[in-house]
Amino acid sequence: MKKTLSTIFGLAALSLVTITTSCSSDNNNDAPTVPGSTFVVNRDNLQGEINDGEVILESGTYKLTGKLVVKSTAKLTIKPGVIIEATTLDPNKIESIRYIAISQGGKIDVQGTAANPVVMTAVNHKPGAWGGLVICGKAPINKGATASAEVSDLPYGGTDVNDNSGSIKYLRIEYPGYAYNSDKEFNGISFFGVGKGTSVDYVQIFESSDDGFEWFGGTVNATHLVVSNKDAANVGDDLFDWTEGWNGTGEFFYGIRTNAGNRGVEADNNSNNHLASPISFPTIKNLTLVGFGSADTSAESQAFKLRVGTKGKFDNVVLKGWKTGFDVQHDETVSYVGVDLLATNVKFEDVAAKSKGSSTAGVTVDVTKVFTESTTANGAGNGSGVPTWAAGWTKGL
């Protein structure tokens, strides 16, 4: 078939673009604008807003120098082995806080592998050195039709239970949890109204100064999660935390802390309205929570703190080294015990009190039906020991 002059010139131009892009990618400092996106990647100054298209972090280390926000319709893809390192922030400049946030309608695609996980870390190897990862979706919450995230101030919530914020696989997040103040703190990963179209698998939070994983409503499911807090001077908060109506599932969760931090699980529905709908009601199987044991000086050494109206089903659970196994609080939560609030096949090791309960008025109540026991429970896969599926891609276990 005859080619027109315009076709020939077009092919020549395409070849020139291809050659130029290939040559530019050899530059260690700057990467070209990814086709389809107006965002320009700078390895030494990764920050700003990705407003369109797909931005791909191909290899090596990128210095996170401020907030990186993925806006609606845009996508951030991170290839295996990539390291994102938050630089030291200026405490006098709030705009310098480092974190990564995915807005409603935006997507993240973390493509780590067991041999080459993606690592988000900080120059300052100390809990609270940077913000962490924030994901905002359009799934239901019980704080209102929508709300504004306490960190990032991005909107979240909606009616789409199947909302898709992307995929995360083999990701390690180190030293997150920066605090604006005592009431406004980042977690390792904050799931704000994230939908179950999102995939979360093989993720570790290492040395967070606040919670490891926290769910603010939403329907997202997650598997193979690890939280480890061992820093003696900068203790973390809870390993796992949910509120505002989370209705997802979890499988293979392993959490350990060997310091005077707080709980293994802190579970809420809504502190202002214990019956707010949708009611928090996750289902979690194959869970191990390891506390500090007899050396623990914390007043909140509870494997589970279940309160303000949460429900939950848990199965195949190993609890080791806590003052209290299950602490159930408030009338609404207590009313679910044994039916919609139940842990089956639980193995206790070095747990002083297996359960305790209190009404909203603070009166002691019997909540022993919140669990059933099993001597053969193996939790996340290896009893109170580190599960084999965590080998290689995690740190500090």
Side-chain angles (χ1 to χ4, degrees):
M1 182 181 293
K2 287 172 87 175
K3 294 183 176 65
T4 65
L5 286 175
S6 62
T7 301
I8 292 170
F9 286 135
L11 290 172
L14 178 60
S15 299
L16 181 59
V17 170
T18 302
I19 292 170
T20 302
T21 303
S22 297
C23 293
S24 298
S25 64
D26 292 333
N27 189 319
N28 290 326
N29 293 319
D30 300 305
T33 300
V34 176
S37 176
T38 57
F39 186 85
V40 177
V41 177
N42 183 335
R43 285 184 179 272
D44 296 325
N45 186 25
L46 184 63
Q47 64 170 310
E49 293 185 349
I50 302 174
N51 292 301
D52 49 34
E54 180 182 15
V55 168
I56 303 174
L57 305 185
E58 290 283 359
S59 62
T61 300
Y62 297 79
K63 298 291 187 179
L64 185 69
T65 55
K67 64 181 180 181
L68 180 65
V69 181
V70 181
K71 306 294 282 187
S72 179
T73 74
K75 181 179 181 180
L76 174 64
T77 296
I78 309 174
K79 294 293 187 177
V82 165
I83 298 172
I84 300 175
E85 187 177 50
T87 57
T88 303
L89 61 83
D90 183 343
N92 298 314
K93 295 182 179 179
I94 194 168
E95 67 272 12
S96 75
I97 296 170
R98 287 84 163 112
Y99 63 91
I100 298 173
I102 313 302
S103 304
Q104 288 183 315
K107 285 186 171 60
I108 185 170
D109 184 9
V110 176
Q111 300 179 356
T113 67
N116 288 292
V118 169
V119 179
M120 297 179 181
T121 186
V123 171
N124 185 9
H125 288 186
K126 177 182 177 181
W130 70 295
L133 178 60
V134 176
I135 305 176
C136 296
K138 301 177 182 178
I141 61 175
N142 66 26
K143 194 175 181 179
T146 61
S148 178
E150 68 177 42
V151 287
S152 79
D153 294 321
L154 293 170
Y156 69 100
T159 59
D160 187 358
V161 296
N162 296 308
D163 187 41
N164 183 354
S165 295
S167 175
I168 299 174
K169 194 162 188 177
Y170 286 108
L171 169 65
R172 188 170 73 240
I173 297 179
E174 304 173 353
Y175 313 110
Y178 175 85
Y180 293 96
N181 53 54
S182 60
D183 297 319
K184 188 175 181 180
E185 300 172 284
F186 287 90
N187 304 294
I189 299 184
S190 301
F191 297 102
F192 287 96
V194 178
K196 65 181 179 180
T198 309
S199 175
V200 180
D201 197 14
Y202 294 101
V203 184
Q204 181 188 15
I205 308 299
F206 176 80
E207 298 293 15
S208 175
S209 65
D210 200 52
D211 303 323
F213 298 90
E214 184 162 6
W215 292 263
F216 297 83
T219 55
V220 64
N221 305 322
T223 54
H224 300 103
L225 302 188
V226 176
V227 185
S228 54
N229 286 339
K230 298 185 178 183
D231 190 291
N234 302 277
V235 300
D237 195 4
D238 311 307
L239 302 176
F240 303 94
D241 193 332
W242 64 79
T243 185
E244 296 182 16
W246 178 42
N247 274 266
T249 65
E251 189 168 7
F252 296 108
F253 285 12
Y254 179 80
I256 182 171
R257 68 170 180 82
T258 56
N259 56 27
N262 284 335
R263 300 152 286 270
V265 168
E266 180 181 275
D268 296 348
N269 182 45
N270 184 304
S271 58
N272 295 319
N273 177 4
H274 297 185
L275 295 174
S277 180
I279 292 175
S280 296
F281 197 172
T283 299
I284 301 174
K285 298 191 299 182
N286 308 324
L287 168 67
T288 294
L289 299 173
V290 180
F292 200 17
S294 58
D296 198 338
T297 59
S298 170
E300 296 285 350
S301 176
Q302 302 131 331
F304 284 84
K305 187 170 187 175
L306 306 162
R307 61 185 187 181
V308 299
T310 190
K311 299 179 181 181
K313 291 286 185 70
F314 318 102
D315 183 55
N316 187 26
V317 179
V318 173
L319 306 179
K320 179 181 179 179
W322 302 94
K323 292 179 181 177
T324 304
F326 296 87
D327 186 352
V328 184
Q329 300 179 3
H330 305 113
D331 295 344
E332 296 83 358
T333 327
V334 170
S335 72
Y336 303 138
V337 166
V339 182
D340 286 337
L341 187 64
L342 177 64
T344 51
N345 301 306
V346 180
K347 183 178 181 180
F348 296 93
E349 300 177 16
D350 185 26
V351 176
K354 293 179 179 179
S355 68
K356 69 177 183 179
S358 59
S359 67
T360 302
V363 177
T364 299
V365 295
D366 182 3
V367 294
T368 52
K369 290 184 179 180
V370 75
F371 67 87
T372 66
E373 293 189 66
S374 170
T375 58
T376 60
N378 67 348
N382 190 29
S384 56
V386 178
T388 57
W389 53 260
W393 61 277
T394 58
K395 178 178 180 177
L397 296 180

